[in-house]
Amino acid sequence: MRVLTPEDFEPWVGRKVRLSTLPNPVEITLVRIERRPVLIGIDTREPFSLFFEAPLDVYLMDASFEMDCGKGGPHEILISQLVPSATARHYQAVFS
């Protein structure tokens, strides 16, 4: 299995990605990628996080979802909830 990097997701910033959910898939928008410094001797790749937004009616539990963002996917990612705003829900996926 190939290790995912921030570059794999850069073309999708600002675009919708599809998550396999039941009973129907949902789309959320990848709004940004946050890179973190590599810890020499510990990290096997550059750590990064993906941040997503979704309409308020798209409620995702903290769980693994199959994400289809085109070429190279689908990817299994762990999505975690963040505090929602008045107009959107916010989620993140952490890669370390």
Side-chain angles (χ1 to χ4, degrees):
M1 180 167 97
R2 191 172 84 67
V3 175
L4 297 171
T5 66
E7 290 78 17
D8 293 314
F9 298 99
E10 284 177 346
W12 296 94
V13 174
R15 296 175 64 187
K16 291 184 179 183
V17 297
R18 182 171 294 203
L19 299 179
S20 293
T21 58
L22 295 175
N24 299 307
V26 296
E27 290 186 335
I28 60 177
T29 302
L30 175 58
V31 292
R32 78 177 194 278
I33 300 170
E34 183 179 289
R35 297 169 182 257
R36 291 185 308 283
V38 174
L39 297 174
I40 308 261
I42 296 174
D43 290 327
T44 57
R45 69 166 158 203
E46 176 185 9
F48 66 99
S49 296
L50 304 176
F51 291 89
F52 301 94
E53 283 186 356
L56 288 172
D57 65 338
V58 175
Y59 180 79
L60 300 171
M61 298 185 332
D62 292 2
S64 291
F65 296 94
E66 190 175 85
M67 179 179 76
D68 185 3
C69 59
K71 184 179 176 184
H75 306 293
E76 187 80 19
I77 64 170
L78 177 65
I79 299 279
S80 299
Q81 301 176 60
L82 300 173
V83 176
S85 64
T87 59
R89 294 201 184 272
H90 304 279
Y91 301 96
Q92 74 173 344
V94 177
F95 296 81
S96 54

